Every structure is written in structure tokens, then in C-alpha cells.
Amino acid sequence: MQYNPGWNGSSVNLLHVRAAGPGDSLHYVWSSIGAPAVLLVATQSPSSALRVNWSQLLSPSPAGAVWIDPPDSVVYSTAVVFTKLFEFSEAKPLGELFYPTYDLSKFSWDSLNHTLNHTALTAELSGAPTTDPGGSFANGSLAFRVTAYEASGRAGRLPSLLHTADSSQLEFVLAGVAPRGNGSRFVLEVATVEEAGAVRRLRSERSIDDEYTPTIFEVLSLVAESQNGSSTLGFLQWKATAYGSRSPRREDGIRCRAQGLRAANWTLPVSSIVQAYFGESLGSTCTISALNVSFGGEEGQVYQEKRYLSWSVLLGFGQPPRDRFSPLVISITAVALGTPLAMLLLGSCLVLLVRRRRYSEYEPIN
């Protein structure tokens, strides 16, 4: 993990996370220069490196300021941008009442270097609006917590997402922000950037297994596929829940919904890291898609009471991880289904045995 590689200042945030394999390497570039975003690049070289032209990156025309060396080693690149936070309340009888939007490109972000943990491979990007007339952020903040992984495993806190060494986890946190209405609900807008030849699709999978995330039976994935559908290139994956506590429990769950993937017919807000890497292709050959993730429902009062909201999402390359039944669940299921079956077979055998014995004790009457 590198913070602002090649730059000594801390007035801007750029975090480079690199995972090296025997024949390839993966790059995650997190940044709050403009709208908070992450650039994901996969290469065929185990020694590929991130290059940054800082003077150009911080200029009004950042195109070409960020690249991977050697350039011909890049096999896939994409970006995810967190653009806006909406707040609304379902005021009756007028219906939904929307408040002024929080534009994340106009936030002021704290130095990420203060939270960087090279041992745990974690960092936190925290910020607030540069102008806050209503004072909603007077005692609160919006944060993105990043966790990189060196091996496969499962997160210890709910929703206990399954991860691989090819993925990183992002936790979106809204803490202490005063809602502007009774029963306010929040919506996070997420935009993705794909180069020519790849498209994004939203998938929903349901399972009867809620062992690791109680009462949650749905997993959503926003996957990038090659246009011929032959391979999955990258993904975002999350479970259909958020939580209203710093130490989440089942009862702290908040409903999480994806409101449909759509083609973005608007230009991205100023996000220098994305413009710096994709350059002119951002407005021509690249495909920009947007997705709204909403938090709240009948249980919308959870945030009102605790002033805390956290949502975890996994980002990575290749196929998203898939949960499978653990040996414990398989054993319990086998016992639950096997015991009645064994009793049925045993009872049938006893009945047949009794019947045979009863008829064998008598001689047929002529």
C-alpha cells in the first residue's frame, strides 16, 4: 500500500494498493481528488507499476497523468465513482420529498495517511461538504473504509462477505449526520466506467442459506462482462442489507435495495483519477453506467435513532465469490433429513417382520 506515491504533500489523497502474483499483478487506486473513486487495473506483468504525473494530475486538464508501466501489460481496467448522496422522506400525503443533493465531488476530505494501517491493510477516507448551510454534518461525517486482502477468507463483522486475494472490501459509513426530515432515507449513486468491449450487468441471487448473514437471503452483483459474454472481468458484490450500528447485529439491519442499472447520459463529475487514466476515451469509447443503492424501508427509523449507517461492498477481478453450505450446515441438514428417513425405513422393516412372524405361526386351513 502506497500513499501519494511520488508526492510529499497530504492535501490530496491517492492510495495505491498493489497485489503481485507469479505472472500478473492487480492495481487498486483509491482517490478523493474530485469525486471519490477507485481505479482497478489488471496486468500480465508481476512487476507492473503505477506512474503519476502530479503536476498534470492536479491541473485543470489531468488526462494522461496516471498510467501503468509497461502500458502493454494492461489486460483490463475499470473504475467505480461514488458521485452523489440523496436524502428524501416519504412525506404524506405529498409523497416523496427530496432534499438538496450532497455532491461528493464538493466534499472536503481528511488526510487518508492518518488512518493508513500497513499491517491490517486498511485505510479510511472521511469527509464533509465544503458548505453545509443546514449544519447536518456539524457532528458527523461520510466515510469510505478500504480493506485489502492477502488471502481468501470471510470478514469478521456482518454482513461477513466472502473474499479472495483478488478483491478488496469497501465500507460506506454515514455517522452522526443529522437527517433533514422525519424518517429520512438515503440513496448512494454509484457510477462505473468500462472500456470498449465490456458491459455491466446487475445480478441477483437468492439462497436458503443465511448462516453468515442472518435473515438475508439475497446477494447482488454488478459484474463487468465481455460483450460476447464469454468471461467475467470484474465485479461489485454486496448483500441486500446495511446496518445501523458500529457493532452490527441482526436486529440492526437496514433494508438495502438496488434501483436498477442504467446508462448514464450525463458526464461524470470532476473525478481527476478517472479522467487522468482514461483520458479522451472517457467521453467517447467508454461506457458509463449508474446505479442507485437505497437504504431504509419500513425500518427507516433505525438511522433516525442511532445516526449510523454502514454498507459493505466487495470489489475485485474475475468471478464474484459464491457462498456455499458449511460442513456444519450440511451435517445438521443430513441429521434433520436422515433421521426421519432412517426411522421410516426401520419402522417399515419392523412391520414386515411382525407380519411375517404372525402368518408363519399358523397352518393354512384346508
Side-chain angles (χ1 to χ4, degrees):
M1 301 178 76
Q2 297 175 295
Y3 176 69
N4 289 351
W7 179 261
N8 294 326
S10 59
S11 58
V12 295
N13 290 306
L14 189 148
L15 176 65
H16 176 220
V17 182
R18 178 175 174 269
D24 56 7
S25 57
L26 308 175
H27 299 265
Y28 294 83
V29 186
W30 305 85
S31 174
S32 64
I33 304 174
V38 56
L39 174 68
L40 296 88
V41 184
T43 73
Q44 289 180 323
S45 170
S47 59
S48 61
L50 175 72
R51 306 298 184 196
V52 181
N53 183 330
W54 281 97
S55 58
Q56 186 177 354
L57 177 62
L58 300 178
S59 71
S61 302
V66 174
W67 70 98
I68 298 294
D69 191 24
D72 59 358
S73 67
V74 176
V75 293
Y76 172 65
S77 56
T78 184
V80 180
V81 187
F82 302 93
T83 53
K84 297 175 183 177
L85 181 69
F86 303 99
E87 181 185 352
F88 70 95
S89 63
E90 294 181 336
K92 297 180 180 180
L94 301 178
E96 295 180 349
L97 173 63
F98 279 83
Y99 299 96
T101 302
Y102 293 116
D103 187 342
L104 301 190
S105 66
K106 298 179 180 178
F107 270 46
S108 175
W109 301 95
D110 298 336
S111 175
L112 187 148
N113 195 36
H114 300 317
T115 63
L116 188 58
N117 187 324
H118 289 273
T119 303
L121 300 179
T122 60
E124 180 175 327
L125 184 65
S126 179
T130 52
T131 58
D132 185 22
S136 296
F137 277 79
N139 299 310
S141 65
L142 182 152
F144 294 95
R145 295 174 181 167
V146 179
T147 303
Y149 298 108
E150 293 182 309
S152 299
R154 187 181 298 277
R157 298 170 67 245
L158 289 175
S160 304
L161 293 176
L162 182 66
H163 62 258
T164 67
D166 296 342
S167 60
S168 295
Q169 180 171 294
L170 177 71
E171 185 180 2
F172 166 71
V173 178
L174 200 63
V177 178
R180 291 174 285 184
N182 294 326
S184 281
R185 295 169 59 182
F186 293 94
V187 179
L188 179 65
E189 184 180 67
V190 182
T192 62
V193 179
E194 293 293 335
E195 291 185 309
V199 293
R200 286 274 178 176
R201 304 187 192 280
L202 181 63
R203 298 176 181 172
S204 174
E205 294 185 7
R206 294 183 179 273
S207 170
I208 62 172
D209 183 18
D210 69 338
E211 177 183 5
Y212 300 104
T213 312
T215 74
I216 305 301
F217 302 94
E218 183 180 14
V219 178
L220 295 107
S221 301
L222 185 58
V223 298
E225 299 176 342
S226 56
Q227 288 189 334
N228 58 13
S230 60
S231 62
T232 301
L233 305 172
F235 67 87
L236 279 77
Q237 184 186 61
W238 65 96
K239 293 194 176 183
T241 185
Y243 291 95
S245 172
R246 297 180 187 274
S247 301
R249 299 167 298 173
R250 180 185 63 82
E251 54 267 31
D252 299 318
I254 299 174
R255 180 178 299 178
C256 171
R257 292 178 175 175
Q259 297 181 350
L261 183 66
R262 65 189 187 280
N265 55 4
W266 37 262
T267 57
L268 284 173
V270 178
S271 180
S272 295
I273 192 68
V274 176
Q275 295 172 342
Y277 181 81
F278 290 100
E280 299 300 326
S281 64
L282 190 60
S284 55
T285 59
C286 288
T287 301
I288 302 175
S289 304
L291 176 77
N292 284 350
V293 181
S294 66
F295 310 102
E298 293 82 356
E299 70 286 12
Q301 297 296 325
V302 174
Y303 182 82
Q304 193 83 16
E305 295 171 359
K306 300 187 178 181
R307 300 283 177 93
Y308 192 87
L309 168 69
S310 69
W311 172 64
S312 298
V313 57
L314 196 71
L315 304 92
F317 298 88
Q319 289 282 355
R322 298 189 66 178
D323 269 319
R324 302 191 183 279
F325 291 107
S326 70
L328 175 62
V329 171
I330 294 175
S331 301
I332 293 174
T333 305
V335 171
L337 296 179
T339 301
L341 182 61
M343 293 178 65
L344 179 62
L345 292 175
L346 181 60
S348 300
C349 292
L350 290 174
V351 170
L352 292 175
L353 184 60
V354 169
R355 290 184 63 184
R356 288 190 60 185
R357 284 183 176 179
R358 183 171 59 190
Y359 288 121
S360 63
E361 293 174 356
Y362 297 93
E363 293 295 331
I365 298 175
N366 189 348

